[in-house]
Each structure stands twice: as structure tokens, then as C-alpha cells.
Amino acid sequence: MKKARYMLNIFILRRMSLIIFICASFTLGDLVSCSSYYPRRKLGFKHRNRLSVTLSWQPRARTLAILSTDLQLATRVQSRPYYPYSDNAYTAIWIGVDFPHDKASQMILWSKNYYQQIRYLALSDFVTPRTNRFRQNLFIGGSTRKALQLSLKPWSKSDFRKLKKIQNKKDFHSLVRSKYGNNLDEKTKKLL
């Protein structure tokens, strides 16, 4: 009888601590903390596939990571930087050349709800031309400084709406490449 009562008390304490944690995270305005209870296998880490999504840290990144499970993508959120976070410092998306265009389009459209300052997109062969490492990766929240060094043109709302109409990889890549700048500085030309 004592053992059953003890087990019941442990069960109740665990449930209460979970409820307190969730309530505290809601009152603090940090809905992301609730997603930290989401098991890793639910975020796509159980089945190792080659396609992956990396999200730079921002307060609601884990929520976007949970959404990516609908597309069956392995998703990783980078750790919080030590310096103060600014939305304007991470406004780029780097798209792997071999990343499926339909999943990339959906993730880009979803990311606009969480990374609201996103305005630069580029393919991996333009961002890191000498490596194959990122061909199947989608990186959301890339450096604005790097985007400006590459002379990328910012995307407008109508450009993002065009993503919904794209039917194949070739059209997707040509849309992304249409925003590449022509006036690359000498330092950037040497990198390419």
C-alpha cells in the first residue's frame, strides 16, 4: 500500500513540474521552451537522411524545427550566441543545390513567419563554391554580412509569393539566381 501511494505521489509531482514549466514558459513569453520537451527522434534525428536543415538561433527557432518534421527533414538549431541577438544580422537563407525545391520552398515560406527579416537567398554553389559539403543542406538565418559581400539583391514580398507557383528545380534555381548582384567587389571575386 505504501509503495503504491509513493508511486502515485511521484507521478503527480512529475506532472505538476511539467505543468509549472509550461506555465512559466508561457508567462515569460518564451513559447520555444515548450518545444525542448519534444523528443529528438520527433525532430528527424532518428532516421539519418542526407537532407538536413540548420536554423540559426533565434527565440522561435525550435517551433520552426518542429514544423520541419512535417517535411521529414532532420533539423538542428544552433546554440544561442554569446553576444546580443539582432534579427537584422541573420537575414539570409543558403539553399543546397541538391535540396528538393518543393521542401525548400515550403521551409522558406514557413521561415518568413519566424525569421521575419529574411530577405536574401542564395544557392550553396554561390555561397561556398569550392565545397560539396552543403549541397543537401538548407541553412536558415545566414549572415547578412555575407549576403552583402556576395552583392545579393533583397527579395520582395512578390518574389516570395512566386515560390508557391514554382513546379520544378530548374525554375526554382533560376528564380534564386535572378537575385544575384552583378557588381561583385574584387575581394568577393577572389573568393569565388
Side-chain angles (χ1 to χ4, degrees):
M1 184 71 166
K2 285 184 179 181
K3 186 174 182 178
R5 186 177 298 159
Y6 175 76
M7 294 302 288
L8 180 64
N9 287 339
I10 294 294
F11 176 77
I12 291 170
L13 285 174
R14 284 185 180 168
R15 290 295 173 195
M16 286 177 52
S17 65
L18 179 62
I19 291 169
I20 290 169
F21 171 76
I22 291 172
C23 291
S25 62
F26 279 118
T27 58
L28 294 174
D30 185 18
L31 298 176
V32 175
S33 297
C34 297
S35 67
S36 63
Y37 269 83
Y38 226 83
R40 287 179 67 104
R41 64 181 161 12
K42 296 281 186 182
L43 292 176
F45 288 99
K46 183 178 179 185
H47 305 291
R48 292 212 179 254
N49 55 7
R50 298 183 74 184
L51 297 177
S52 66
V53 176
T54 305
L55 305 171
S56 68
W57 184 90
Q58 67 105 331
R60 296 172 57 195
R62 289 206 189 276
T63 309
L64 182 59
I66 291 170
L67 276 177
S68 71
T69 60
D70 291 345
L71 300 176
Q72 299 173 345
L73 297 170
T75 305
R76 180 177 77 88
V77 177
Q78 292 181 331
S79 59
R80 184 179 185 145
Y82 294 108
Y83 44 87
Y85 174 79
S86 169
D87 285 337
N88 288 321
Y90 306 100
T91 61
I93 296 178
W94 313 134
I95 307 157
V97 176
D98 294 335
F99 201 87
H101 74 285
D102 53 341
K103 292 183 180 192
S105 296
Q106 187 61 54
M107 284 300 297
I108 291 166
L109 294 173
W110 282 343
S111 70
K112 285 292 290 171
N113 295 325
Y114 299 95
Y115 295 78
Q116 295 179 358
Q117 298 297 324
I118 291 290
R119 58 184 169 263
Y120 301 106
L121 278 74
L123 296 172
S124 62
D125 62 350
F126 188 66
V127 179
T128 54
R130 294 190 180 106
T131 182
N132 266 354
R133 204 171 83 186
F134 304 109
R135 293 180 69 87
Q136 295 184 330
N137 189 7
L138 180 69
F139 184 78
I140 299 174
S143 167
T144 304
R145 181 182 296 162
K146 176 79 171 178
L148 294 175
Q149 285 175 349
L150 294 172
S151 299
L152 296 177
K153 298 175 189 171
W155 281 48
S156 64
K157 289 181 181 180
S158 64
D159 293 328
F160 283 107
R161 276 188 242 124
K162 290 178 188 176
L163 287 173
K164 294 178 184 177
K165 299 176 185 173
I166 293 203
Q167 299 296 319
N168 58 45
K169 188 176 183 177
K170 183 180 176 185
D171 293 342
F172 177 73
H173 285 193
S174 64
L175 176 64
V176 172
R177 286 189 173 112
S178 70
K179 291 298 189 170
Y180 289 178
N182 294 330
N183 55 344
L184 296 175
D185 61 353
E186 291 302 317
K187 191 175 186 181
T188 306
K189 286 181 184 176
K190 288 179 184 176
L191 291 174
L192 297 176

